mmCIF file of all heavy atoms in Angstrom:
data_model
loop_
_atom_site.group_PDB
_atom_site.id
_atom_site.type_symbol
_atom_site.label_atom_id
_atom_site.label_comp_id
_atom_site.label_asym_id
_atom_site.label_seq_id
_atom_site.Cartn_x
_atom_site.Cartn_y
_atom_site.Cartn_z
ATOM 1 N N TYR A 1 17.207 20.166 -57.355
ATOM 2 C CA TYR A 1 17.336 20.618 -55.957
ATOM 3 C C TYR A 1 18.018 19.563 -55.111
ATOM 4 O O TYR A 1 18.884 19.863 -54.285
ATOM 5 C CB TYR A 1 15.944 20.934 -55.417
ATOM 6 C CG TYR A 1 15.928 21.355 -53.959
ATOM 7 C CD1 TYR A 1 16.424 22.595 -53.576
ATOM 8 C CD2 TYR A 1 15.419 20.509 -52.981
ATOM 9 C CE1 TYR A 1 16.399 23.001 -52.247
ATOM 10 C CE2 TYR A 1 15.398 20.901 -51.646
ATOM 11 C CZ TYR A 1 15.883 22.141 -51.285
ATOM 12 O OH TYR A 1 15.876 22.516 -49.973
ATOM 13 N N GLU A 2 17.646 18.300 -55.349
ATOM 14 C CA GLU A 2 18.277 17.214 -54.588
ATOM 15 C C GLU A 2 19.753 17.097 -54.926
ATOM 16 O O GLU A 2 20.583 16.824 -54.060
ATOM 17 C CB GLU A 2 17.541 15.905 -54.866
ATOM 18 C CG GLU A 2 16.122 15.871 -54.276
ATOM 19 C CD GLU A 2 15.345 14.648 -54.703
ATOM 20 O OE1 GLU A 2 15.868 13.869 -55.534
ATOM 21 O OE2 GLU A 2 14.227 14.475 -54.215
ATOM 22 N N TYR A 3 20.114 17.285 -56.201
ATOM 23 C CA TYR A 3 21.525 17.243 -56.588
ATOM 24 C C TYR A 3 22.311 18.325 -55.852
ATOM 25 O O TYR A 3 23.422 18.098 -55.369
ATOM 26 C CB TYR A 3 21.679 17.464 -58.102
ATOM 27 C CG TYR A 3 21.157 16.356 -58.960
ATOM 28 C CD1 TYR A 3 20.849 16.590 -60.305
ATOM 29 C CD2 TYR A 3 20.940 15.066 -58.459
ATOM 30 C CE1 TYR A 3 20.351 15.582 -61.109
ATOM 31 C CE2 TYR A 3 20.453 14.069 -59.262
ATOM 32 C CZ TYR A 3 20.147 14.327 -60.581
ATOM 33 O OH TYR A 3 19.663 13.325 -61.376
ATOM 34 N N GLN A 4 21.732 19.521 -55.785
ATOM 35 C CA GLN A 4 22.425 20.642 -55.159
ATOM 36 C C GLN A 4 22.616 20.418 -53.663
ATOM 37 O O GLN A 4 23.605 20.857 -53.081
ATOM 38 C CB GLN A 4 21.643 21.932 -55.394
ATOM 39 C CG GLN A 4 21.648 22.391 -56.850
ATOM 40 C CD GLN A 4 20.673 23.517 -57.106
ATOM 41 O OE1 GLN A 4 19.950 23.947 -56.200
ATOM 42 N NE2 GLN A 4 20.637 24.002 -58.330
ATOM 43 N N ARG A 5 21.685 19.718 -53.032
ATOM 44 C CA ARG A 5 21.746 19.498 -51.590
ATOM 45 C C ARG A 5 22.638 18.327 -51.204
ATOM 46 O O ARG A 5 23.030 18.190 -50.054
ATOM 47 C CB ARG A 5 20.340 19.243 -51.034
ATOM 48 C CG ARG A 5 19.404 20.428 -51.097
ATOM 49 C CD ARG A 5 18.081 20.083 -50.452
ATOM 50 N NE ARG A 5 18.260 19.725 -49.053
ATOM 51 C CZ ARG A 5 17.548 18.793 -48.411
ATOM 52 N NH1 ARG A 5 16.636 18.111 -49.055
ATOM 53 N NH2 ARG A 5 17.749 18.548 -47.136
ATOM 54 N N THR A 6 22.939 17.456 -52.165
ATOM 55 C CA THR A 6 23.699 16.248 -51.861
ATOM 56 C C THR A 6 25.189 16.569 -51.794
ATOM 57 O O THR A 6 25.783 17.071 -52.757
ATOM 58 C CB THR A 6 23.459 15.164 -52.936
ATOM 59 O OG1 THR A 6 22.058 14.900 -52.995
ATOM 60 C CG2 THR A 6 24.192 13.890 -52.581
ATOM 61 N N THR A 7 25.808 16.276 -50.667
ATOM 62 C CA THR A 7 27.247 16.489 -50.499
ATOM 63 C C THR A 7 27.998 15.264 -51.004
ATOM 64 O O THR A 7 27.425 14.171 -51.147
ATOM 65 C CB THR A 7 27.583 16.716 -49.024
ATOM 66 O OG1 THR A 7 27.322 15.496 -48.300
ATOM 67 C CG2 THR A 7 26.750 17.846 -48.447
ATOM 68 N N PRO A 8 29.308 15.393 -51.268
ATOM 69 C CA PRO A 8 30.092 14.219 -51.695
ATOM 70 C C PRO A 8 30.012 13.078 -50.688
ATOM 71 O O PRO A 8 29.954 11.904 -51.083
ATOM 72 C CB PRO A 8 31.521 14.790 -51.794
ATOM 73 C CG PRO A 8 31.323 16.235 -52.111
ATOM 74 C CD PRO A 8 30.084 16.638 -51.349
ATOM 75 N N ASP A 9 30.010 13.384 -49.375
ATOM 76 C CA ASP A 9 29.905 12.316 -48.374
ATOM 77 C C ASP A 9 28.578 11.583 -48.482
ATOM 78 O O ASP A 9 28.511 10.354 -48.347
ATOM 79 C CB ASP A 9 30.063 12.895 -46.968
ATOM 80 C CG ASP A 9 31.504 13.305 -46.679
ATOM 81 O OD1 ASP A 9 32.395 12.852 -47.416
ATOM 82 O OD2 ASP A 9 31.710 14.083 -45.728
ATOM 83 N N GLU A 10 27.499 12.347 -48.742
ATOM 84 C CA GLU A 10 26.187 11.714 -48.894
ATOM 85 C C GLU A 10 26.141 10.835 -50.127
ATOM 86 O O GLU A 10 25.536 9.754 -50.124
ATOM 87 C CB GLU A 10 25.100 12.785 -48.967
ATOM 88 C CG GLU A 10 24.846 13.486 -47.639
ATOM 89 C CD GLU A 10 23.885 14.652 -47.794
ATOM 90 O OE1 GLU A 10 23.843 15.255 -48.878
ATOM 91 O OE2 GLU A 10 23.178 14.955 -46.823
ATOM 92 N N LEU A 11 26.793 11.283 -51.202
ATOM 93 C CA LEU A 11 26.837 10.456 -52.406
ATOM 94 C C LEU A 11 27.546 9.136 -52.126
ATOM 95 O O LEU A 11 27.105 8.066 -52.563
ATOM 96 C CB LEU A 11 27.559 11.215 -53.535
ATOM 97 C CG LEU A 11 26.784 12.344 -54.201
ATOM 98 C CD1 LEU A 11 27.697 13.089 -55.157
ATOM 99 C CD2 LEU A 11 25.572 11.789 -54.944
ATOM 100 N N LEU A 12 28.654 9.188 -51.380
ATOM 101 C CA LEU A 12 29.388 7.968 -51.052
ATOM 102 C C LEU A 12 28.534 7.049 -50.188
ATOM 103 O O LEU A 12 28.537 5.822 -50.368
ATOM 104 C CB LEU A 12 30.691 8.319 -50.346
ATOM 105 C CG LEU A 12 31.763 8.975 -51.224
ATOM 106 C CD1 LEU A 12 32.950 9.404 -50.377
ATOM 107 C CD2 LEU A 12 32.222 8.013 -52.324
ATOM 108 N N ARG A 13 27.787 7.632 -49.216
ATOM 109 C CA ARG A 13 26.927 6.808 -48.381
ATOM 110 C C ARG A 13 25.832 6.156 -49.206
ATOM 111 O O ARG A 13 25.490 4.993 -49.000
ATOM 112 C CB ARG A 13 26.302 7.666 -47.275
ATOM 113 C CG ARG A 13 27.271 8.004 -46.131
ATOM 114 C CD ARG A 13 26.511 8.466 -44.903
ATOM 115 N NE ARG A 13 25.779 9.698 -45.138
ATOM 116 C CZ ARG A 13 26.309 10.913 -44.969
ATOM 117 N NH1 ARG A 13 27.565 11.056 -44.588
ATOM 118 N NH2 ARG A 13 25.574 11.987 -45.191
ATOM 119 N N ASN A 14 25.269 6.898 -50.189
ATOM 120 C CA ASN A 14 24.241 6.322 -51.054
ATOM 121 C C ASN A 14 24.796 5.156 -51.856
ATOM 122 O O ASN A 14 24.144 4.118 -52.039
ATOM 123 C CB ASN A 14 23.682 7.389 -52.001
ATOM 124 C CG ASN A 14 22.851 8.427 -51.266
ATOM 125 O OD1 ASN A 14 22.365 8.180 -50.164
ATOM 126 N ND2 ASN A 14 22.690 9.590 -51.886
ATOM 127 N N ILE A 15 26.018 5.316 -52.360
ATOM 128 C CA ILE A 15 26.648 4.238 -53.119
ATOM 129 C C ILE A 15 26.870 3.014 -52.232
ATOM 130 O O ILE A 15 26.621 1.873 -52.634
ATOM 131 C CB ILE A 15 27.970 4.721 -53.732
ATOM 132 C CG1 ILE A 15 27.685 5.785 -54.805
ATOM 133 C CG2 ILE A 15 28.763 3.556 -54.318
ATOM 134 C CD1 ILE A 15 28.936 6.491 -55.304
ATOM 135 N N ASP A 16 27.324 3.253 -50.976
ATOM 136 C CA ASP A 16 27.532 2.146 -50.043
ATOM 137 C C ASP A 16 26.224 1.436 -49.747
ATOM 138 O O ASP A 16 26.156 0.202 -49.672
ATOM 139 C CB ASP A 16 28.145 2.661 -48.746
ATOM 140 C CG ASP A 16 29.605 3.092 -48.922
ATOM 141 O OD1 ASP A 16 30.211 2.660 -49.919
ATOM 142 O OD2 ASP A 16 30.099 3.850 -48.070
ATOM 143 N N ASP A 17 25.125 2.208 -49.572
ATOM 144 C CA ASP A 17 23.823 1.599 -49.297
ATOM 145 C C ASP A 17 23.371 0.729 -50.467
ATOM 146 O O ASP A 17 22.873 -0.380 -50.276
ATOM 147 C CB ASP A 17 22.778 2.695 -49.033
ATOM 148 C CG ASP A 17 23.000 3.400 -47.691
ATOM 149 O OD1 ASP A 17 23.716 2.823 -46.835
ATOM 150 O OD2 ASP A 17 22.461 4.513 -47.521
ATOM 151 N N LEU A 18 23.553 1.246 -51.692
ATOM 152 C CA LEU A 18 23.168 0.462 -52.862
ATOM 153 C C LEU A 18 23.985 -0.810 -52.967
ATOM 154 O O LEU A 18 23.485 -1.876 -53.351
ATOM 155 C CB LEU A 18 23.332 1.308 -54.129
ATOM 156 C CG LEU A 18 22.338 2.460 -54.307
ATOM 157 C CD1 LEU A 18 22.744 3.327 -55.500
ATOM 158 C CD2 LEU A 18 20.927 1.923 -54.506
ATOM 159 N N GLN A 19 25.273 -0.714 -52.629
ATOM 160 C CA GLN A 19 26.142 -1.888 -52.673
ATOM 161 C C GLN A 19 25.666 -2.948 -51.680
ATOM 162 O O GLN A 19 25.637 -4.147 -51.988
ATOM 163 C CB GLN A 19 27.587 -1.496 -52.364
ATOM 164 C CG GLN A 19 28.576 -2.652 -52.428
ATOM 165 C CD GLN A 19 28.738 -3.185 -53.838
ATOM 166 O OE1 GLN A 19 28.827 -2.399 -54.777
ATOM 167 N NE2 GLN A 19 28.746 -4.492 -54.007
ATOM 168 N N ARG A 20 25.278 -2.527 -50.469
ATOM 169 C CA ARG A 20 24.796 -3.482 -49.473
ATOM 170 C C ARG A 20 23.504 -4.148 -49.913
ATOM 171 O O ARG A 20 23.312 -5.351 -49.742
ATOM 172 C CB ARG A 20 24.614 -2.774 -48.129
ATOM 173 C CG ARG A 20 25.905 -2.488 -47.385
ATOM 174 C CD ARG A 20 25.631 -2.098 -45.943
ATOM 175 N NE ARG A 20 24.986 -0.806 -45.864
ATOM 176 C CZ ARG A 20 25.655 0.354 -45.785
ATOM 177 N NH1 ARG A 20 26.979 0.351 -45.821
ATOM 178 N NH2 ARG A 20 25.024 1.503 -45.699
ATOM 179 N N VAL A 21 22.600 -3.351 -50.508
ATOM 180 C CA VAL A 21 21.344 -3.927 -51.001
ATOM 181 C C VAL A 21 21.621 -4.945 -52.089
ATOM 182 O O VAL A 21 21.048 -6.038 -52.122
ATOM 183 C CB VAL A 21 20.409 -2.808 -51.519
ATOM 184 C CG1 VAL A 21 19.211 -3.411 -52.242
ATOM 185 C CG2 VAL A 21 19.937 -1.941 -50.354
ATOM 186 N N ARG A 22 22.527 -4.595 -52.987
ATOM 187 C CA ARG A 22 22.857 -5.525 -54.060
ATOM 188 C C ARG A 22 23.463 -6.817 -53.520
ATOM 189 O O ARG A 22 23.135 -7.910 -53.953
ATOM 190 C CB ARG A 22 23.840 -4.873 -55.045
ATOM 191 C CG ARG A 22 23.971 -5.639 -56.361
ATOM 192 C CD ARG A 22 25.195 -5.227 -57.126
ATOM 193 N NE ARG A 22 26.394 -5.720 -56.462
ATOM 194 C CZ ARG A 22 27.607 -5.672 -57.006
ATOM 195 N NH1 ARG A 22 27.781 -5.140 -58.196
ATOM 196 N NH2 ARG A 22 28.648 -6.148 -56.361
ATOM 197 N N ASP A 23 24.361 -6.685 -52.522
ATOM 198 C CA ASP A 23 24.998 -7.862 -51.944
ATOM 199 C C ASP A 23 23.969 -8.791 -51.285
ATOM 200 O O ASP A 23 24.089 -10.010 -51.331
ATOM 201 C CB ASP A 23 26.046 -7.441 -50.906
ATOM 202 C CG ASP A 23 27.248 -6.775 -51.550
ATOM 203 O OD1 ASP A 23 27.411 -6.927 -52.782
ATOM 204 O OD2 ASP A 23 27.997 -6.095 -50.831
ATOM 205 N N VAL A 24 22.934 -8.206 -50.674
ATOM 206 C CA VAL A 24 21.919 -9.011 -49.979
ATOM 207 C C VAL A 24 21.020 -9.727 -50.977
ATOM 208 O O VAL A 24 20.692 -10.901 -50.812
ATOM 209 C CB VAL A 24 21.080 -8.119 -49.042
ATOM 210 C CG1 VAL A 24 19.888 -8.895 -48.500
ATOM 211 C CG2 VAL A 24 21.949 -7.625 -47.884
ATOM 212 N N TYR A 25 20.596 -9.004 -52.033
ATOM 213 C CA TYR A 25 19.564 -9.541 -52.914
ATOM 214 C C TYR A 25 20.094 -10.104 -54.236
ATOM 215 O O TYR A 25 19.323 -10.638 -55.027
ATOM 216 C CB TYR A 25 18.537 -8.445 -53.240
ATOM 217 C CG TYR A 25 17.716 -8.063 -52.039
ATOM 218 C CD1 TYR A 25 17.958 -6.868 -51.350
ATOM 219 C CD2 TYR A 25 16.699 -8.893 -51.575
ATOM 220 C CE1 TYR A 25 17.212 -6.518 -50.237
ATOM 221 C CE2 TYR A 25 15.943 -8.544 -50.479
ATOM 222 C CZ TYR A 25 16.200 -7.361 -49.808
ATOM 223 O OH TYR A 25 15.463 -7.016 -48.727
ATOM 224 N N TRP A 26 21.387 -9.976 -54.461
ATOM 225 C CA TRP A 26 21.929 -10.374 -55.769
ATOM 226 C C TRP A 26 21.603 -11.820 -56.127
ATOM 227 O O TRP A 26 21.273 -12.125 -57.260
ATOM 228 C CB TRP A 26 23.435 -10.159 -55.741
ATOM 229 C CG TRP A 26 24.097 -10.374 -57.075
ATOM 230 C CD1 TRP A 26 24.713 -11.485 -57.518
ATOM 231 C CD2 TRP A 26 24.187 -9.426 -58.142
ATOM 232 N NE1 TRP A 26 25.203 -11.303 -58.779
ATOM 233 C CE2 TRP A 26 24.884 -10.041 -59.194
ATOM 234 C CE3 TRP A 26 23.752 -8.110 -58.309
ATOM 235 C CZ2 TRP A 26 25.144 -9.388 -60.387
ATOM 236 C CZ3 TRP A 26 24.017 -7.475 -59.500
ATOM 237 C CH2 TRP A 26 24.698 -8.117 -60.515
ATOM 238 N N ASP A 27 21.690 -12.722 -55.169
ATOM 239 C CA ASP A 27 21.527 -14.135 -55.464
ATOM 240 C C ASP A 27 20.095 -14.635 -55.314
ATOM 241 O O ASP A 27 19.833 -15.826 -55.502
ATOM 242 C CB ASP A 27 22.431 -14.973 -54.545
ATOM 243 C CG ASP A 27 23.908 -14.714 -54.824
ATOM 244 O OD1 ASP A 27 24.221 -14.462 -56.011
ATOM 245 O OD2 ASP A 27 24.714 -14.740 -53.879
ATOM 246 N N LEU A 28 19.160 -13.763 -54.914
ATOM 247 C CA LEU A 28 17.774 -14.203 -54.769
ATOM 248 C C LEU A 28 17.114 -14.302 -56.133
ATOM 249 O O LEU A 28 17.295 -13.445 -56.989
ATOM 250 C CB LEU A 28 16.998 -13.212 -53.904
ATOM 251 C CG LEU A 28 17.423 -13.123 -52.428
ATOM 252 C CD1 LEU A 28 16.559 -12.094 -51.712
ATOM 253 C CD2 LEU A 28 17.296 -14.477 -51.743
ATOM 254 N N PRO A 29 16.318 -15.370 -56.375
ATOM 255 C CA PRO A 29 15.623 -15.479 -57.661
ATOM 256 C C PRO A 29 14.548 -14.405 -57.769
ATOM 257 O O PRO A 29 13.931 -14.021 -56.768
ATOM 258 C CB PRO A 29 14.985 -16.880 -57.599
ATOM 259 C CG PRO A 29 14.844 -17.164 -56.147
ATOM 260 C CD PRO A 29 16.006 -16.500 -55.470
ATOM 261 N N PRO A 30 14.305 -13.880 -58.960
ATOM 262 C CA PRO A 30 13.275 -12.850 -59.119
ATOM 263 C C PRO A 30 11.892 -13.418 -58.901
ATOM 264 O O PRO A 30 11.624 -14.574 -59.230
ATOM 265 C CB PRO A 30 13.467 -12.390 -60.576
ATOM 266 C CG PRO A 30 14.098 -13.553 -61.265
ATOM 267 C CD PRO A 30 14.969 -14.220 -60.229
ATOM 268 N N ARG A 31 10.994 -12.615 -58.322
ATOM 269 C CA ARG A 31 9.610 -13.014 -58.178
ATOM 270 C C ARG A 31 8.885 -12.813 -59.494
ATOM 271 O O ARG A 31 9.338 -12.081 -60.368
ATOM 272 C CB ARG A 31 8.938 -12.182 -57.081
ATOM 273 C CG ARG A 31 9.526 -12.425 -55.698
ATOM 274 C CD ARG A 31 8.883 -11.491 -54.690
ATOM 275 N NE ARG A 31 9.204 -10.100 -55.023
ATOM 276 C CZ ARG A 31 8.681 -9.059 -54.392
ATOM 277 N NH1 ARG A 31 7.821 -9.239 -53.410
ATOM 278 N NH2 ARG A 31 9.012 -7.843 -54.739
ATOM 279 N N ASN A 32 7.727 -13.465 -59.646
ATOM 280 C CA ASN A 32 6.953 -13.314 -60.860
ATOM 281 C C ASN A 32 6.598 -11.856 -61.081
ATOM 282 O O ASN A 32 6.112 -11.189 -60.189
ATOM 283 C CB ASN A 32 5.660 -14.134 -60.768
ATOM 284 C CG ASN A 32 5.938 -15.629 -60.799
ATOM 285 O OD1 ASN A 32 6.966 -16.046 -61.315
ATOM 286 N ND2 ASN A 32 5.033 -16.414 -60.251
#
């Protein structure tokens, strides 16, 4: 159902959000 509701623009926004999260946390050391 979520796949059917997701538009191409929403998919691009989700990818952009994931990219920003990765850029922020990429260099942080993992917690135990």
Side-chain angles (χ1 to χ4, degrees):
Y1 177 71
E2 291 173 355
Y3 292 160
Q4 291 170 358
R5 293 183 61 215
T6 302
T7 66
D9 288 343
E10 288 173 331
L11 286 173
L12 289 174
R13 284 198 297 272
N14 290 339
I15 293 171
D16 289 341
D17 289 341
L18 290 172
Q19 182 67 43
R20 284 194 292 271
V21 171
R22 194 196 71 170
D23 291 343
V24 170
Y25 291 104
W26 187 263
D27 294 327
L28 293 180
R31 295 176 296 174
N32 291 336

